[in-house]
Amino acid sequence: MIFENTRAFAQQLDSQDILHHYRDEFYFPKVNDKDVIYFTGNSLGLQPKRTKAYIDEIMNDWANLAVEGHFYAEKPWWDFLC
């Protein structure tokens, strides 16, 4: 492959990307109703869409189990310490 610095070449490579479906698993910030291109190096990165559900699970365990969540939650917190 010979690199070309053109939009058409970039779009051709994008169309061949076998990992393209992973893009749908993240939230992209928008500017003027368009997804931003995200190149920030020192950050947590884009938020995975499944993160909120996971955090809500942990918060519900905390609300319902309090300290017992260390041992009796679906994902016991004790494991986080080891």
Side-chain angles (χ1 to χ4, degrees):
M1 169 186 356
I2 298 174
F3 177 79
E4 296 175 33
N5 190 15
T6 65
R7 180 181 298 265
F9 184 69
Q11 289 171 332
Q12 174 193 347
L13 292 178
D14 283 349
S15 72
Q16 298 168 6
D17 182 4
I18 61 173
L19 301 176
H20 72 275
H21 61 280
Y22 285 106
R23 185 182 197 289
D24 295 333
E25 294 190 25
F26 296 89
Y27 290 111
F28 281 80
K30 294 188 181 293
V31 173
N32 297 324
D33 290 326
K34 293 183 182 179
D35 289 351
V36 299
I37 298 173
Y38 196 83
F39 289 120
T40 305
N42 286 338
S43 78
L44 291 172
L46 295 172
Q47 181 183 345
K49 290 179 178 177
R50 65 180 76 172
T51 298
K52 184 175 181 348
Y54 179 77
I55 296 298
D56 286 348
E57 257 182 55
I58 301 302
M59 297 306 284
N60 288 333
D61 285 343
W62 183 15
N64 295 313
L65 299 170
V67 71
E68 296 299 323
H70 282 289
F71 310 104
Y72 301 112
E74 185 175 329
K75 297 175 181 77
W77 309 333
W78 182 257
D79 296 340
F80 297 165
L81 303 173
C82 299

